[in-house]
Amino acid sequence: MKFGAELHGKIYAPWRHAYFNYNELKNELKQRQLDHGWGERDELDFLTRYEQELTKVYKFINTKLDDIRLRVDVCEKDLAVVTTDAADSLADQLAEILFDVNDLARFHQLNCQGFAKMAKKHDRWTHLNSLTHQYKHGMQKQWPLESMAQKLDEIVVRISHANIKCEAKLGQHNRPPQPSSTTYNDETAFERATTKYWVHPDNVTEVKSIILFHLPVYVYNKEKRYEAKDAAISSVYFDNPSFDLYTERLERAKGAEAIRFRWYGQETDNVYIERKTHHAEWLDGKSVKDRFKLKEKEANAFVQGNYTADAISADLRASNTVDEATLRQQHFVAQGVETSFRQRQLEPMCRVFYNRTAFQRPNDQRLRISLDCNLTFIREDRLDGKQRRPKDAWHRADVKIDHPFHHVNPSDIHHFPYAILETKIQTHLGQKIPAWLQSLLSSHLVYEVPRFSKYLHGASQLFQNQVPVLPWWMEELDKDIRKPPVLGVGLSRSMSFQPLVNGHHRRSLFQPTSSTISMPQHVSITLMDKKENTKKSRSKMIDEEDNNNSKQKEYGSNGDLLSRFYPKLMDSGKKIMNYKELNPLPSQQQPTPQLPRPISQRTMKRAEPKTFFANERTFISWLQFCALLLTVALNLLNNGDRISRIIGAVFIIMASILSFYALGRYQLRAYQLRTGRYISRYDDLYGPTILCVCLVAALVVNFCLRLPLITGQPPS
């Protein structure tokens, strides 16, 4: 679908006047090009109109933000004196504000996309590579439209805090927290079952809002007022020029490591050295993430080998701030990372930046959900001889947290198109997946991508010529992960314009529910029963999601020829990782019970049989016309004169070409219906037109050849 049509279909009617007039500006750009070319006067008029539209949208969003902030301020003041009876009404007001934030976020995202596309279209049509640069570097300083998403995030956090106070007054979610003597930032080891999903930008705020009704936003530093920069997380991943850590992580080899230096916000005073280990030997084959904290100067010395694990332990013991068990644990982690640096010759390779919104109840880490937006990958290496960072430094000094990093060389940066939703559940503590979360993960709002890794994706994009293998999900990026909305899932409004969450009023979300998870009858996506899911969850995920060869076999058995050959045509020459070969599941080993997961997105895509029959009927109609044309051609060849035989030969060639063309269109449509991959429009714009032109041309040629016989003149 073209963006103009997409924009028109997503317009929120009450705000219709405030949207960017994309189609009008595009038509003006095209019309002037066709009329008289593109001159200086045209450029000046276009830029003036473009800036007027940008000003209009920016002022509208600012006005709405001020109004929403004022409403939140009023709610926060009322919470200080509100009674228990009035708290429920106040919670309804907060829900209404959250819905307005969601509408404004959709408005903002759609208009930002429109301005960026119009700038690229202008530069491509006028051959003036100026508007895109002006929009990113000049206009964004005067009208910082792109940075307004962070202001919306600030409001979401304020609503979350107000919701917590309302819940406290109403007694909702009043359950004893999981006892914990440490906080998230102080932990050195994490053991959780994680699942990752892609979220389209259109659905990010809606997903946040749904989670917010059940889990509050987790703030790392509760001693200061939340700011947009607090959501920024930066990580520098280390590897060697052979990308050994990348390969081992991709192959899921036993003991495979991922080592990164992470810091929160803009300041790098506190750096967390983290190590992820797959199937760690010291934990009986369990995967674990552990870490320890250093100051930035200490991190530089640690990378250079001047600050050892023994020195770290000595400083911690001298500070007398940790117990002996924590001291031994941190020494063990630091020594392991130090050994990897020395033996593998690790160096900074890739920086990963994103803005994280974490959802978790205070002091209860059994269920944690994170949503990472603005995911960006930036090169930190020196493999090509470029000095991207100072000597003896482990990260670039020119990159802060000013997303979208317009000042960075385009060859050094890659922007991921989706947000990453990650669920982290401590199953070993008995935590089970809630029904509301199961409903969200099975809906159209998220797209499951098992085994997705930020570093693996960033390295495969930034170092395509150096990495030996590509991750399996690379071909998933060619798909449109948006799906038709599932009835009863997401944010909506009732006939009386009351906010509804998953088809229910806010108050009904906290009613007692049974312990079993049951899906609403109107949800079209079903799950496997518990017994079958326990047996097949892991094997199904490996066979149908991770295994590229299995996918090609599935396509090849579907009947259309294009499905058998298209994956090979799309292959860029690099091998796609096959997890089934690299991580086989022994037949005698029973997989451990897993939490129920949504069926693979590919298996959920169903097409009505009548759609395939319609495609087949269209193909047969073309064949009928080709057969009729072939009959006429054979009659002309067998019973006509010289002129008739010429026309008959033309008709035979035309019938043959049309037959193969009809077959190609049939196979292409069948492939799109089966896989959900959008390659070309379903309606045929060119075939009927070309056919009519050819037939008229043949008749004109026949008439011209017969004209001397009609006029009585002998043919020349």
Side-chain angles (χ1 to χ4, degrees):
M1 180 186 296
K2 292 186 177 181
F3 179 76
E6 180 181 352
L7 174 62
H8 180 75
K10 292 182 178 179
I11 285 180
Y12 181 46
W15 299 347
R16 180 178 297 275
H17 66 283
Y19 281 85
F20 173 40
N21 290 323
Y22 177 87
N23 289 327
E24 185 176 335
L25 213 59
K26 183 186 71 172
N27 293 335
E28 182 179 346
L29 176 64
K30 185 176 181 180
Q31 191 62 39
R32 292 197 181 199
Q33 284 275 53
L34 296 176
D35 287 347
H36 52 268
W38 195 259
E40 295 182 0
R41 181 62 184 177
D42 299 310
E43 181 71 10
L44 182 61
D45 293 343
F46 184 85
L47 289 178
T48 302
R49 180 68 185 280
Y50 188 87
E51 291 180 355
Q52 290 175 351
E53 292 292 322
L54 186 58
T55 304
K56 178 186 70 174
V57 173
Y58 177 76
K59 288 184 177 180
F60 179 82
I61 296 178
N62 250 342
T63 302
K64 287 294 180 181
L65 279 173
D66 292 339
D67 176 65
I68 290 175
R69 288 195 191 100
L70 181 60
R71 294 163 62 189
V72 175
D73 290 339
V74 172
C75 289
E76 289 176 341
K77 292 179 181 179
D78 292 344
L79 275 172
V81 296
V82 73
T83 61
T84 303
D85 296 335
D88 203 29
S89 176
L90 197 59
D92 288 341
Q93 295 181 34
L94 291 172
E96 184 67 39
I97 296 174
L98 191 59
F99 271 61
D100 291 341
V101 170
N102 179 58
D103 293 335
L104 189 59
R106 288 177 179 272
F107 176 88
H108 170 264
Q109 193 274 333
L110 200 59
N111 282 278
C112 283
Q113 190 178 359
F115 283 113
K117 285 183 175 293
M118 181 55 65
K120 292 180 181 179
K121 192 179 293 292
H122 165 272
D123 295 343
R124 185 173 65 252
W125 286 8
T126 63
H127 304 290
L128 299 174
N129 296 320
S130 59
L131 185 54
T132 301
H133 184 270
Q134 291 181 40
Y135 174 71
K136 291 181 178 180
H137 300 277
M139 297 180 182
Q140 284 299 318
K141 293 181 180 179
Q142 187 174 359
W143 303 284
L145 190 64
E146 293 180 346
S147 62
M148 283 186 161
Q150 299 178 1
K151 298 180 181 179
L152 290 170
D153 290 339
E154 291 182 20
I155 296 177
V156 169
V157 174
R158 293 180 61 186
I159 294 175
S160 173
H161 291 167
N163 260 329
I164 293 177
K165 296 179 181 179
C166 283
E167 291 176 5
K169 291 183 177 293
L170 294 172
Q172 294 166 347
H173 298 292
N174 188 18
R175 63 185 183 205
Q178 179 71 12
S180 176
S181 59
T182 59
T183 62
Y184 172 75
N185 285 339
D186 296 331
E187 282 200 356
T188 59
F190 305 87
E191 184 180 343
R192 295 182 289 223
T194 63
T195 312
K196 297 181 180 180
Y197 302 81
W198 290 349
V199 182
H200 194 275
D202 294 349
N203 303 326
V204 168
T205 308
E206 186 171 2
V207 170
K208 283 184 182 180
S209 302
I210 293 174
I211 300 174
L212 191 59
F213 279 103
H214 303 276
L215 286 178
V217 174
Y218 184 86
V219 179
Y220 295 102
N221 188 357
K222 300 179 181 178
E223 298 178 357
K224 60 182 289 292
R225 184 180 178 89
Y226 178 84
E227 298 177 305
K229 64 181 182 181
D230 296 336
I233 297 180
S234 304
S235 304
V236 173
Y237 284 83
F238 289 76
D239 210 330
N240 54 32
S242 301
F243 291 93
D244 291 337
L245 268 63
Y246 169 93
T247 305
E248 291 174 3
R249 292 290 295 183
L250 192 58
E251 294 177 349
R252 303 185 63 78
K254 185 176 182 179
E257 292 181 332
I259 297 177
R260 67 191 180 200
F261 286 15
R262 168 172 290 187
W263 65 99
Y264 301 89
Q266 187 168 353
E267 303 299 330
T268 57
D269 294 339
N270 295 319
V271 181
Y272 293 89
I273 287 76
E274 299 184 349
R275 177 186 65 176
K276 285 185 174 182
T277 308
H278 182 66
H279 293 332
E281 294 182 356
W282 63 89
L283 288 178
D284 297 329
K286 296 181 180 180
S287 299
V288 66
K289 182 184 80 172
D290 40 28
R291 68 179 185 175
F292 60 96
K293 183 172 68 174
L294 295 177
K295 297 296 183 180
E296 184 176 13
K297 294 182 179 179
E298 296 172 344
N300 273 323
F302 182 80
V303 172
Q304 298 167 15
N306 301 326
Y307 192 49
T308 63
D310 294 336
I312 294 174
S313 297
D315 290 345
L316 286 175
R317 185 174 284 107
S319 65
N320 198 25
T321 56
V322 296
D323 54 29
E324 191 64 27
T326 303
L327 185 65
R328 289 195 301 269
Q329 171 67 19
Q330 295 207 3
H331 180 270
F332 172 75
V333 178
Q335 190 174 44
V337 175
E338 180 185 349
T339 302
S340 297
F341 266 89
R342 184 177 63 253
Q343 294 181 352
R344 293 175 176 262
Q345 300 296 314
L346 302 182
E347 58 185 73
M349 283 293 174
C350 170
R351 178 182 299 199
V352 180
F353 170 86
Y354 48 86
N355 294 113
R356 167 165 290 184
T357 304
F359 302 88
Q360 175 187 321
R361 294 208 165 272
N363 301 323
D364 187 356
Q365 302 177 34
R366 294 173 298 177
L367 175 60
R368 177 182 174 85
I369 301 175
S370 62
L371 185 61
D372 301 335
C373 306
N374 302 326
L375 182 56
T376 308
F377 307 95
I378 303 174
R379 292 186 65 164
E380 294 272 0
D381 66 291
R382 297 172 181 166
L383 298 180
D384 54 359
K386 293 183 180 180
Q387 297 295 322
R388 296 182 174 87
R389 47 190 166 82
K391 186 178 180 181
D392 298 331
W394 56 272
H395 68 91
R396 298 173 60 150
D398 62 325
V399 178
K400 302 298 183 182
I401 60 173
D402 48 343
H403 182 270
F405 309 103
H406 290 313
H407 64 283
V408 178
N409 191 317
S411 61
D412 289 352
I413 191 170
H414 170 72
H415 295 279
F416 191 70
Y418 307 122
I420 306 297
L421 178 71
E422 186 172 359
T423 62
K424 304 171 184 178
I425 303 176
Q426 293 184 340
T427 54
H428 62 287
L429 297 180
Q431 177 65 39
K432 296 183 179 180
I433 187 168
W436 66 267
L437 181 57
Q438 181 69 79
S439 177
L440 173 63
L441 300 182
S442 303
S443 72
H444 63 284
L445 298 173
V446 300
Y447 187 89
E448 185 182 7
V449 188
R451 313 297 188 192
F452 177 80
S453 166
K454 296 184 181 73
Y455 170 62
L456 295 184
H457 183 83
S460 65
Q461 291 290 330
L462 297 176
F463 309 101
Q464 292 189 14
N465 297 327
Q466 287 90 354
V467 296
V469 208
L470 293 179
W472 71 269
W473 60 78
M474 296 301 296
E475 62 183 18
E476 300 292 307
L477 292 173
D478 298 330
K479 299 180 179 179
D480 186 354
I481 66 172
R482 291 173 293 184
K483 297 174 291 183
V486 176
L487 184 63
V489 179
L491 302 184
S492 59
R493 294 185 185 271
S494 64
M495 297 296 293
S496 58
F497 296 99
Q498 293 297 318
L500 301 177
V501 182
N502 292 344
H504 301 282
H505 190 270
R506 180 199 62 82
R507 301 179 187 181
S508 65
L509 298 176
F510 309 109
Q511 298 298 327
T513 56
S514 60
S515 58
T516 59
I517 298 176
S518 60
M519 297 298 295
Q521 294 181 357
H522 54 255
V523 176
S524 61
I525 302 174
T526 58
L527 303 174
M528 293 181 294
D529 59 82
K530 183 176 179 181
K531 181 178 179 180
E532 187 173 351
N533 183 64
T534 303
K535 295 181 178 180
K536 296 185 178 181
S537 60
R538 180 177 176 184
S539 60
K540 187 176 186 64
M541 180 172 57
I542 294 175
D543 291 342
E544 296 189 4
E545 288 287 352
D546 298 344
N547 192 335
N548 184 58
N549 291 340
S550 176
K551 182 181 68 63
Q552 292 184 3
K553 181 179 179 181
E554 176 190 351
Y555 287 168
S557 63
N558 278 335
D560 54 280
L561 297 176
L562 196 60
S563 298
R564 303 182 184 183
F565 299 110
Y566 185 79
K568 297 181 181 179
L569 295 175
M570 288 296 291
D571 191 3
S572 60
K574 287 186 176 290
K575 179 182 177 183
I576 303 296
M577 179 54 58
N578 184 334
Y579 283 107
K580 188 175 181 180
E581 295 178 358
L582 297 172
N583 191 21
L585 184 65
S587 58
Q588 68 274 13
Q589 178 182 355
Q590 293 295 332
T592 57
Q594 301 287 331
L595 291 175
R597 293 181 177 177
I599 300 177
S600 164
Q601 306 292 347
R602 185 179 300 116
T603 60
M604 286 192 292
K605 292 180 178 176
R606 295 283 188 265
E608 292 290 338
K610 61 182 180 181
T611 309
F612 290 96
F613 296 149
N615 183 31
E616 187 175 345
R617 286 195 300 271
T618 304
F619 175 56
I620 293 174
S621 298
W622 277 84
L623 291 185
Q624 289 176 346
F625 179 81
C626 291
L628 178 61
L629 195 62
L630 185 62
T631 303
V632 174
L634 292 176
N635 283 324
L636 292 175
L637 283 175
N638 295 329
N639 303 319
D641 54 9
R642 178 176 174 273
I643 296 176
S644 300
R645 287 194 293 272
I646 294 175
I647 300 301
V650 172
F651 282 171
I652 285 182
I653 297 174
M654 192 183 305
S656 302
I657 294 175
L658 287 175
S659 298
F660 285 110
Y661 176 80
L663 177 62
R665 291 292 304 181
Y666 167 73
Q667 298 290 350
L668 179 62
R669 290 192 188 101
Y671 175 79
Q672 292 184 137
L673 290 172
R674 293 180 188 278
T675 63
R677 186 193 296 270
Y678 180 80
I679 302 173
S680 177
R681 296 173 53 143
Y682 285 97
D683 56 326
D684 195 347
L685 297 179
Y686 307 107
T689 303
I690 295 174
L691 175 60
C692 292
V693 171
C694 291
L695 288 177
V696 172
L699 294 176
V700 170
V701 170
N702 182 58
F703 178 77
C704 292
L705 294 176
R706 296 289 184 183
L707 185 59
L709 299 179
I710 297 175
T711 58
Q713 299 177 0
S716 57

